[in-house]
Amino acid sequence: MINGESIPVDKKVGSFVIGATINKQGSFYYKASNVGSDTMLAEIIRIVKDSQGSRMEIQNLADKISSVFVPVVLVFALIAVIVWLTVGTYYLGFSESFSYTMLAFVGILVIACPCALGLATPTAIVVGIGKGAEKGILIKDAKSLEKLYKVKKIVFDKTGTVTKGQPKVTDVIIKDDRYTKEQLISYASSIESKSSHPLARAIVDEGLRVKLVNKKVINFKESEGVGVSGEVDKIPVSIKKPDTKEIENKEVKRLQEQGKTVVLVEIDKKIAGFIAISDTVKENAKELIEGIHNLGIDTVMLTGDNSRSANYIAKAVGIKNVISEVLPKDKSDVIRKLQNDGSLVAMVGDGINDAPALMQSDVAIAMATGSDIAIESSDITLLGGDIEKVFQAIKLSKATINIVKQNLFWAFFYNVVGIPLAAGVFYPIWGIFLNPIFAGLAMAGSSISVVLNSLRLNRIKI
Ligand code: ADP
Ligand code: MG
């Protein structure tokens, strides 16, 4: 239920397991790390509940209109009373005009009751957010649903968002003959075992694959968006982004042009070699980007990685604009610049380094497979790391807003048409007068039609 996984997934000692899934073979011990209100399910329920009670900007408009509307209606009802009593008495005699006065007064108050106006937005929000949750789109605040369809630019992080975030080591290049490939990986995986970066995991997995045992690491340091350093067996080792000089290396260039991320390994303060890591693009990424372009929305890839590999990945999925080699702290500046021309910008990310950019964006979308801090900074969380849900979320946003607008129209339409009718304005001309019983019916009818219209969201295809 949590990740929508339909194919069995291999689990090893130390793997995370999710509650309420099926263990196909054998048995195992597991430790419950989060129980009760700490579980992901409880968190999802909390988010959905909170957000269904949140408000849209448009609701403030409806409230403002209501606050003017009610006194205007009261004045109108009083005018009707005065006119019926004076003009009516003159033409009809007092006793008959008095009953018309009462009919008009009660009729106006009943039909003008703005309850449908009050229901128009919240009912659509409840249904829209509920529908999103059903599809694995967790919306934290109704305002993001209101803004999403108006977004003009969507910024995607590369690793873990456009790519699967399960990178693998593909090449090891030795630059210093004192080390073998195995030794290089041994140093690298020892030090990367302290980091939780996707690239670090790839290097650690490679170490496990060739059955290396990690050495002891001291003085470990990680600089976000740059790399890691420390001492392995008292020898200083660092793994980092190759700088401008090393990028000109023919082999590095070739690997980067294949979309691989190349990191530099320094042992004892000298370049020992390079490790190339490749991550596959998510299967449905290309269709998603195409769909987004068809909606007239621009796409941008934002990454700390090298421009060659970034360009390769961007091209593979059809993203036109690439902003690469951006340090995590500068990612939010990039978003700010994109917002400069007044367009709403959405950011889709997963990593710790994406959190500032997510905070800066107008609509922040995080992958539930990503870091907790990214999820915490987001307005919308996509379960199962499925980026196709970005497209569905945009459609849901549009559909919900359409329903809200229809609701507001119908709520008003009833009132505007009903009030003169109830006041008996048409009585002298056509002899039409709205009986308060029908006014009551129409009033209930408008609320029912608003609720039914909101429920229609459930059947709209996204
Ligand atoms: P992204 O924006 O694609 O998520 P990051 O900002 O996390 O990328 O990292 C940018 C670059 O910094 C990486 O491509 C890599 O060269 C280097 N880097 C960051 N962390 C590590 C690490 N733990 N090990 C090796 N290299 C790293
Ligand atoms: Mg990332």
Side-chain angles (χ1 to χ4, degrees), residues 157-159 192 195 197 199-200 203 222-228 239-242 261-263 302-306 326-328 331 350 353-354:
D157 166 58
K158 180 171 75 77
T159 318
E192 292 283 25
S195 163
H197 197 277
L199 294 178
I203 293 173
E222 177 153 20
S223 359
E224 246 178 65
V226 180
V228 293
I239 304 178
K240 58 188 179 192
K241 193 150 69 173
T261 301
V262 181
V263 292
L302 179 59
T303 176
D305 205 351
N306 174 268
V326 183
L327 287 177
K331 280 188 172 179
D350 71 311
N353 52 0
D354 298 323

Side-chain angles (χ1 to χ4, degrees), residues 93-158:
F94 179 74
S95 68
E96 205 180 338
S97 86
F98 184 73
S99 56
Y100 279 119
T101 306
M102 288 318 284
L103 283 181
F105 185 65
V106 173
I108 291 173
L109 292 187
V110 168
I111 201 152
C113 165
C115 53
L117 211 55
L119 286 172
T121 330
T123 50
I125 291 175
V126 167
V127 181
I129 287 177
K131 168 123 182 167
E134 215 179 276
K135 296 269 172 195
I137 303 164
L138 291 185
I139 299 157
K140 280 204 204 141
D141 189 354
K143 285 196 186 68
S144 47
L145 199 56
E146 190 177 12
K147 277 190 274 184
L148 186 59
Y149 83 101
K150 286 192 262 182
V151 154
K152 282 275 156 282
K153 296 167 189 168
I154 303 184
V155 179
F156 290 90
D157 166 58
K158 180 171 75 77

Side-chain angles (χ1 to χ4, degrees), residues 325-355:
E325 293 170 55
V326 183
L327 287 177
K329 64 181 169 57
D330 300 328
K331 280 188 172 179
S332 62
D333 287 334
V334 171
I335 303 285
R336 206 169 297 129
K337 277 196 197 110
L338 291 170
Q339 288 167 327
N340 265 348
D341 62 356
S343 38
L344 290 183
V345 177
M347 161 91 195
V348 192
D350 71 311
I352 298 171
N353 52 0
D354 298 323

